[in-house]
């Protein structure tokens, strides 16, 4: 893989460092010896054609899959063998290509569910709630409503999640993931199925998260969104790393153009 000269600087300030990770399913090599660094407080995009291994790579980073080889160091912690729930407690959150909501619950309750990893009340508090439990519940409700306002769903708090329009369900999933208070927020195709206005709103929200010093990993096919929000872009081709650089560098690299971008950005 080729990387720009800025790579050494990025490695020095990395929140998440990935080295030589690989994953195979039977005889299919989905990810092959991939290495990169995700800098703090930046938007790091992963792009590539269909079947390049992007979702597999995201599943490796989130702990849904464990790599066959390689190392992953997140904020100084070796993630070897750590499943998704343990990584969530360390500060890694994600959304999925296929929306996963509690569709029978209200919009507000879906977001409140995201706070569970930071709640440490003893079991008896849920049967005989104390004043501390009541204050904790009040705080969760207030923070959940703030998140709903952030994603444009403040007026839908009491709506059953399954009745929301598709784009609104996307934004609700983002709000629920943000409720876990992640250090690293990974989104898998968040603009899929969104209209232009919804994609524009998503772009604004991602930019706001970066300004709030959150680190974002974005897997996305919408190149207009990627080029407008990403600080660095990792290009994947048939499971192999092809290039890492800024949006301008990626758009002008002949190998990337030949493998993926083509005339799309001209």
């Amino acid at each position: 893989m080729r990387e720009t000269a800025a790579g050494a600087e990025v490695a020095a300030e990395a929140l998440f460092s990935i080295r030589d990770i690989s994953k195979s399913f039977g005889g299919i090599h989905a990810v092959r010896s991939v290495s990169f660094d995700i800098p703090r407080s930046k938007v790091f995009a992963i792009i590539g054609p269909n079947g390049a291994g992007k979702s597999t790579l995201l599943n490796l980073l989130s702990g849904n899959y464990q790599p066959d080889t390689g190392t992953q160091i997140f904020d100084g912690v070796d993630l070897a063998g750590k499943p998704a729930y343990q990584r969530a407690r360390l500060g890694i959150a994600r959304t999925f290509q296929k929306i996963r909501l509690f569709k029978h619950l209200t919009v507000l309750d879906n977001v409140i569910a995201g706070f569970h990893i930071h709640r440490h009340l003893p079991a008896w508090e849920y049967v005989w709630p104390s004043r501390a439990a009541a204050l904790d519940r009040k705080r969760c409700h207030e923070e959940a409503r703030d998140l709903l306002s952030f994603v444009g769903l403040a007026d839908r708090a009491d709506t059953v999640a399954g009745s929301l329009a598709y784009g609104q369900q996307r934004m609700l999933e983002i709000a629920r993931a943000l409720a876990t208070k992640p250090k690293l927020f990974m989104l898998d195709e968040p603009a899929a199925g969104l209209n232009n206005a919804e994609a524009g709103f998503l772009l604004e929200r991602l930019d706001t998260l970066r300004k709030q010093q959150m680190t974002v990993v974005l897997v996305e096919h919408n190149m207009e969104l990627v080029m407008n929000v990403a600080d660095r872009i990792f290009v994947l081709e048939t499971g192999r790393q092809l290039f890492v650089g800024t949006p301008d560098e990626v758009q002008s690299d002949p190998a990337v153009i030949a493998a993926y971008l083509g005339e799309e950005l001209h």
Side-chain angles (χ1 to χ4, degrees):
M1 179 204 63
R2 293 171 304 107
E3 185 170 359
T4 63
E9 181 180 343
V10 171
E13 61 179 22
L15 173 65
F16 202 171
S17 294
I18 290 85
R19 292 291 178 270
D20 298 316
I21 62 170
S22 298
K23 182 67 177 180
S24 296
F25 300 96
I28 299 174
H29 300 288
V31 174
R32 308 186 189 200
S33 192
V34 165
S35 299
F36 55 87
D37 296 288
I38 299 172
R40 296 176 186 272
S41 306
K42 303 292 185 182
V43 176
F44 185 91
I46 300 173
I47 68 171
N50 289 328
K54 301 184 299 299
S55 290
T56 298
L57 180 55
L58 210 63
N59 281 326
L60 290 168
L61 301 185
S62 64
N64 292 80
Y65 297 156
Q66 295 296 324
D68 299 328
T69 61
T71 60
Q72 302 176 68
I73 306 297
F74 176 73
D75 206 16
V77 177
D78 188 342
L79 298 183
K82 292 190 183 299
Y85 76 91
Q86 291 183 355
R87 297 186 190 208
R89 292 186 183 279
L90 290 171
I92 298 175
R94 68 166 295 183
T95 64
F96 293 83
Q97 272 185 292
K98 294 183 178 180
I99 297 171
R100 301 183 181 185
L101 296 174
F102 301 114
K103 294 191 175 182
H104 61 290
L105 298 180
T106 67
V107 167
L108 182 65
D109 284 338
N110 265 271
V111 180
I112 290 172
F115 289 109
H116 76 281
I117 66 170
H118 297 295
R119 302 183 77 179
H120 304 291
L121 296 172
W124 61 266
E125 290 273 18
Y126 294 94
V127 181
W128 299 287
S130 66
R131 183 172 182 275
L135 289 174
D136 182 72
R137 178 177 174 80
K138 181 174 182 292
R139 175 188 59 81
C140 287
H141 275 72
E142 290 173 349
E143 292 183 11
R145 290 185 183 279
D146 287 342
L147 286 171
L148 289 177
S149 180
F150 177 75
V151 300
L153 294 175
D155 61 342
R156 306 305 300 274
D158 298 322
T159 303
V160 174
S163 68
L164 293 177
Y166 181 85
Q168 293 175 323
Q169 290 190 27
R170 281 278 184 198
M171 299 311 296
L172 176 56
E173 189 178 38
I174 288 172
R176 188 180 61 184
L178 290 173
T180 68
K181 301 181 179 179
K183 298 177 184 177
L184 177 71
F185 186 24
M186 302 190 293
L187 300 97
D188 193 357
E189 301 283 359
L194 302 187
N195 60 38
N196 289 338
E198 290 168 336
F201 181 72
L202 172 64
L203 173 62
E204 293 175 2
R205 299 298 83 189
L206 294 177
D207 189 49
T208 298
L209 291 176
R210 172 175 48 200
K211 291 174 180 175
Q212 294 173 349
Q213 305 301 304
M214 183 173 292
T215 305
V216 175
V217 174
L218 176 66
V219 172
E220 183 55 62
H221 277 295
N222 184 326
M223 286 299 100
E224 182 178 0
L225 187 151
V226 168
M227 296 302 169
N228 277 289
V229 76
D231 296 291
R232 291 183 69 75
I233 299 174
F234 178 88
V235 186
L236 196 64
E237 182 191 20
T238 60
R240 292 189 175 94
Q241 51 203 41
L242 180 63
F243 188 82
V244 177
T246 66
D248 286 344
E249 291 166 342
V250 167
Q251 289 181 80
S252 62
D253 184 78
V256 176
I257 293 171
Y260 179 46
L261 296 177
E263 299 299 318
E264 191 170 341
L265 295 173
H266 289 201

